[in-house]
Structure formats: structure tokens, C-alpha cells
Amino acid sequence: MCPMVKPSQSLHIGYIFYSSQAVARFLQHSLTAGSDCVRTRFFLTEEIHRLPNHLHRCFLPRPLELPMARVLSLFRPQSFLALVGVRQTVCCRMSLDLRAREVFAAAVEAVQPDIVVRRSIERKEDSILIDGHSFMLRKNLHLVGFGKAVLGMAAEAERIVGDHLVKGVISVPHGIQETLRQHGKDRMLLKDNSRIKVMEGAKHNLPDADAQKAAECIKQLASELTEKDLLLVLISGGGSALLPAPVPPISLQEKQDVTRRLAGAGSTIQELNTVRRALSLLKGGGLAQCAHPAQMVALILSDVIGDPLDLIASGPTVWSEVWPEEVMSVLERYKLSTSLPASVKEILGKPSPRREESKEQSDRAGHVLNAVIGSNSIALKCAGLRARELGFRPVVMSPGVCGDVRLVSRLYGLLARFACSLEEPPPELAAEVLGLGPEVGVETWDLCRTMQVLGEGRTEGWGATCLLAGGEPTVQLTGKGRGGRNQELALRVGLELRGMKLPPNGPVFLSGGTDGQDGPTEAAGAVTDGGLWEEAQAQGLDIDGCLTNNDSFTFFSRLSGGQRLLLPGLTGTNVMDVHMLFIPPIPINIK
């Protein structure tokens, strides 16, 4: 419903107070009998040239209503705001910097482990509804999980279905329970009488003996289930390192050496996972095979662009055939096939698929439900809702931004100049934006759609705009400083915005990691604008030197006492990064 004008209020249309003469003429043509309120979203085309220089309040004797058909037949509502040069919204008292932080907080809140689990599991007496599928509960529920956000997911799952839970095992990062306590995240911790066993491992996000022991416990629990059981699997980012189970006789160290060398040789994530699946008992659907014939439901918090189920934690609940010939092809491509350990050669020397076809394979898919309950797209959607509440028109460009951070920063700089230009931007600018698309993982259609929205906001005066995107850009390491991709991206975008107007009349950019930790620092990211370069120069900071040394955290910590840093603390979740470009209303020159 649109806002309503009370008897004691002025007529407030699109945040503009219209003159009494303009209102009277509009009401004369638009009122219908029996009305009782005023619709506020409309545009008075014939009144633009009649308005006096001084717009004064007009008090109405009683509420009135405008028919929506008459309203919608007019032009876009906020064009009039820019034409008269007035920008008085309810959020003007909050700076762009603060509003940017509010929108980021909303994005992170939307993908909190407990929230996504609560949103995905609907309890109905002795049954649960997940992703449109119903499952009966008969004291037959078991739970396993692995990932950085799984502890909070498990705590909420036990609150919802704990009365039917038999037992559970989760593999989580080393020290996470104490860290969550220190950050006041008690709701993400299990109760003392929990039926779920917590096993910590994978120190420094690398598979280790503790994580392997947890994987063995998870495998044993799954293997003991029958067709009467229901296995709830919780998966989040970091799950691959927390579920190491090499195929005997391969040792954990041998498996790590192969995958580390492959990654260092420049392999893709798909190639890396092909090899991982071949050398693992649980990845690539191995866990689903262990749990068969029990019903399995996997709730997944995605930290991978595009949410591919077979890549998130290397797909332990997603059935996939493993052909040794395909794996050897990958290893030969990177000249690693001749230096493999004897145990790896033994496993890959078998000509047939390691997981052979069986009569039961056809119904395995029916026994496994994979549901992505949290992702970057969900975070961006909720961020857009909060941005709208704060007076912005949100537009989501893409949740799949990737590639070199230098190219990504160039893209955002160009989009900011495109949106803030008082004149029609040169065609070369749009061409350069489209040329960057393939390099940064953004489809041409998404860039065209985004520029169309930004162009309409510029030419028609739609007011402030919030451009939203997400993903995981990469940083080329050339130094040994402290920083992360989000802080370096914010620093580079600040340089791209150099020379543009300062807030509130110029753009603001924010980049933040949804896990709250950008690289080996306590910051999630940073906020920047066109005044960054001058501010750094005035304080004697060397931006180029910090970028060469990958020392963005040190730079932002020293700049104005660290005021630009984004410091939400450990969030307990991870759906990659969120990028936000806030464009203020652009005034239109009336010729």
C-alpha cells in the first residue's frame, strides 16, 4: 500500500511538497467520488512550468485518493524530483558511508547459518518440509556436517528437530568454538547436552589428521544407516578441507601433495575437483553412496560462484562417476603424471570407473535431496531490500564477479562515471565496460541491463541508485604486506573514482567479505570514494607502495584512523564477497 496523507499533514508526493495551486489543479482532474486517501507515487507533467520558485506546504482538510490508473498513465514518478532539484528523503540525515554499511549488514544477516536453516526447515508436528519435500520423523534422524558455518547450522537444526535426533557428527575449523564465544555468537554454539559431536580440525584451512579423523567418524555414521533412517547433511564453505578421506592406500600427505602441485600449476577448479574426487572416498558423491539406502537431505550454504553442487565442498552428496583415464589426462596436461606417488598410480591404474554402475544407482538420486539454502544471490537480494528502505533504487548486476582485482576495479570506476555523468557518456566508455565483461565473469546481457538502469537514473532523475554485485576476484601477489581482495579492491576503486565529486554528491563504493575476515586481517573490507587519493596524500601515505606490497590493510588502518575499514567481526557465515556502488541522485539541467 502507498503512504496515506493524514488530515494534519501536507501533501507529500515523491518527497516533494507541491504548491496549493498545483495540488488543486491535479485534484480537480484526478479525484474520484468516495475517495478516502491520497496515493503518493505520481508525476505532474502539466504542472512543471506552473510551479512557483518557492514550494510551500499545502494542508488538506481530509485524506483523498487518486486512482492508480491515472497515476500509472503518467511519467516515472521520481523524474520530477530531479527536475526541481529537490532530494529530501527520510534517509538524508544518514551519510552514504553509513547507509553502505547498513546494506552490507543486511546482506550478511540474510545468510547467517541459523537464519538460513530456520528459513529452509518447516516443522509440522512429526514431519519436516524442505524445498517442497516432506519427510517423516520417527526418532530416525541423524546429522553430519562439515564447513566453516556448519556449527551455527547444526545448532539451529537441533533446536528445530532435536527431539527426533539420534546422533550427529560435525567437522568444523580448529578453534571455532572459542572464537565464536569471544565474538558473542553463543546462538551458534551447541548446548551442553547436545547429541551432536563437534570435531575441530583443518588448522589454517588445510586438511590434517584431526579433520581426517572427523571424516572417518562421519563415514562410519553414514555407513550404519538403513532405509528407515533420515540423514541431514549440513555443508558450507571450507567443507572440502574438513572432509579428507583418501582412498587406501593413498595417505593424506600424498593426496595433499598431488592437489597442491596441481593447483600451483594453474589448474582450474573443475580440474582440481576431478582429481580430488578420484582420490577421495567421500567426495564426488562418496558420502551419498555410504549412506544409501537411507534418505539423505543436504542443506548447502554456497561459497562458489554459480552454486554448482558438484564443486561446493567437492560434492560429497552429488553422485559423479570417476574415470581414471580422465584424471590421468588432467595430470598429463600439467606434466605431473610421471612424478605421482606409487599409491596414486595404483588407484588410477584401474581402467574401469571406481564407482561401478549398479541396479541401485538409478534410485540413488531419489534418495538424495540437495538444497542450496544460502548463497551470494540471496545475500544480494536482501541487501537490495534494505537499500530500497534506505532510499536507493537497487539493481543487482551479477553474483559472479571474478578475475583480476585490477580489472574489476576498473569496471566499477567506469560504471560510476557512466552513472554520474551530467552529459551523455561517450560510446567508448560503454564499449570498454562491455569489453571487460568476459574478463571479470559478468555476462554482456547483465552489463547492458545494468547500464540501461544507470542511464535511466541519470537521464530521468530516478534518484539514488545502489548497484549490487558479488563474487570472488583474485589478487596477484607481488608483496608480503597485510591485506585481502576486498580491501585491495576498495583501494583500487578509490583511485578509479579520483576526480569525481565527494559524497553526498559523489559515489561511494564498499567491498566486504561476508565471513567478516578479508585475508589474514580483522577487517572484512573497506569503504571508499573519490576523495581517497587526496586524503592519503594529505596524510603522507603511499598508495602505490601499498598496492605493490599488497598492504591494503595497513593503508586503511593508517588512513584517518581506520575510519574507512569495514569491521563487522567474525560473522559465522561465508557466501563470498559483496560489492556495492552507491550513486547519488544526479541533477538534470532543464533547457
Side-chain angles (χ1 to χ4, degrees), residues 105-120:
V108 172
E109 181 69 15
V111 290
Q112 286 293 292
D114 54 337
I115 290 177
V116 296
V117 169
R118 191 183 316 133
R119 195 165 54 211
S120 65

Side-chain angles (χ1 to χ4, degrees), residues 49 55 83 89-90 114 150 236 274 340 348 381 391 395 430 446 512 514 519 530 569:
H49 300 295
L55 297 176
L83 288 171
T89 70
V90 294
D114 54 337
V150 157
S236 74
T274 295
L340 295 173
L348 298 181
K381 179 181 179 181
V395 53
D446 289 323
T514 54

Side-chain angles (χ1 to χ4, degrees), residues 354-374:
R354 179 164 58 81
R355 292 170 191 152
E356 296 181 358
E357 295 279 347
S358 71
K359 294 179 181 179
E360 297 177 340
Q361 181 176 334
S362 60
D363 76 335
R364 280 199 183 100
H367 279 262
V368 179
L369 171 65
N370 289 295
V372 176
I373 62 173

